[in-house]
Amino acid sequence: MRQIVLDTETTGLDWRNGDRVIEIGCVELLNRNLTGKHFHVYINPERGIDAEAIAVHGITEEFLADKPKFRDIVGDFMDFVRDSELVIHNASFDVGFLDHELSLLGHPKLGAQCAGVIDTLKMAKEQNPGKKASLDALCDRFEIDNAARTLHGALLDAELLAEVYLAMTRGQESLMMLLDDEPAMGGLDASGSPIERPPLRVLRPTADELAEHDKVLRDISKANKGACLWIPPASAEEAPAA
């Protein structure tokens, strides 16, 4: 399975107010392994950047002045993510911004071009209700080194999120390995031929053991004040008088 772990940085918090994407970072997972392939680009948003946003990611208007516009990189971006499953932390934020950028150019939204979206923020809250679920908190929980993350950055955050996602879903990996394994074979002798196993011994209960078992079932039935399903219906001679 091909998955793309994705992160963005933006001019502000809401594309509905005219905010735009200024950085995209993606890394590729193939069958749960990092391939080393990535997509990373800075984008000129053709508008100002909120001071609060600059405090988070450190990207300024001056730095982006000579960078390509979204329309210049959209083809390469979609070629990289198309038909993959996206892994995003707080997916509604990034998907909302990217869908807006795509719609401005008349392109189909991500949902129509990708195989689906996994929201690791939602996953983290479901796995550990009430605990912090930020990317930094998850790095601490899974002992992933995020010392280089002094500011938010799309490519670095995507790389960290890939490690977090693999740690969060490690049980799924083990399950898939078990499903992929061939059925275990019996032992082999020195020549490599299967060792013939002796037939299993079947130990049948004695009359006394059966009687004791029947007594235990009837005691259970009396204690629960109801019929025990493992006791055959009473015969006419055993049935209590009306």
Side-chain angles (χ1 to χ4, degrees), residues 60-146:
T60 64
E61 297 169 41
E62 292 75 19
F63 175 76
L64 297 175
D66 62 347
K67 301 300 185 287
K69 314 295 193 298
F70 189 86
R71 59 179 172 271
D72 300 321
I73 61 90
V74 63
D76 291 339
F77 169 61
M78 289 313 306
D79 286 344
F80 191 80
V81 303
R82 186 175 288 110
D83 298 329
S84 67
E85 183 177 57
L86 303 180
V87 179
I88 308 174
H89 201 65
N90 192 16
S92 61
F93 179 88
D94 300 84
V95 171
F97 267 93
L98 291 170
D99 279 349
H100 177 61
E101 295 285 355
L102 291 168
S103 66
L104 290 176
L105 299 174
H107 289 272
K109 294 182 177 180
L110 286 174
Q113 304 189 65
C114 297
V117 178
I118 294 175
D119 188 344
T120 49
L121 177 62
K122 180 180 178 182
M123 182 185 298
K125 290 182 175 180
E126 290 174 348
Q127 288 184 357
N128 295 280
K131 292 188 177 182
K132 293 181 179 178
S134 67
L135 183 56
D136 282 333
L138 293 175
C139 285
D140 290 342
R141 184 177 305 161
F142 294 108
E143 300 181 349
I144 294 168
D145 183 9
N146 64 338

Side-chain angles (χ1 to χ4, degrees), residues 109-236:
K109 294 182 177 180
L110 286 174
Q113 304 189 65
C114 297
V117 178
I118 294 175
D119 188 344
T120 49
L121 177 62
K122 180 180 178 182
M123 182 185 298
K125 290 182 175 180
E126 290 174 348
Q127 288 184 357
N128 295 280
K131 292 188 177 182
K132 293 181 179 178
S134 67
L135 183 56
D136 282 333
L138 293 175
C139 285
D140 290 342
R141 184 177 305 161
F142 294 108
E143 300 181 349
I144 294 168
D145 183 9
N146 64 338
R149 195 182 188 238
T150 54
L151 291 171
H152 289 210
L155 183 58
L156 174 60
D157 288 1
E159 291 170 343
L160 291 172
L161 182 59
E163 297 289 347
V164 166
Y165 171 71
L166 291 174
M168 291 174 68
T169 57
R170 194 72 69 193
Q172 295 180 17
E173 179 182 26
S174 299
L175 176 60
M176 292 307 298
M177 289 174 64
L178 287 173
L179 292 175
D180 290 340
D181 285 344
E182 295 182 359
M185 296 179 62
L188 302 178
D189 60 20
S191 67
S193 301
I195 298 174
E196 185 177 351
R197 293 181 176 178
L200 295 175
R201 293 178 60 196
V202 179
L203 300 179
R204 302 192 181 281
T206 65
D208 290 342
E209 289 172 336
L210 287 172
E212 183 63 25
H213 179 66
D214 185 64
K215 179 178 178 301
V216 170
L217 292 180
R218 293 186 185 281
D219 289 343
I220 293 174
S221 183
K222 290 177 182 178
N224 293 329
K225 298 181 180 179
C228 179
L229 296 178
W230 289 273
I231 300 176
S235 63

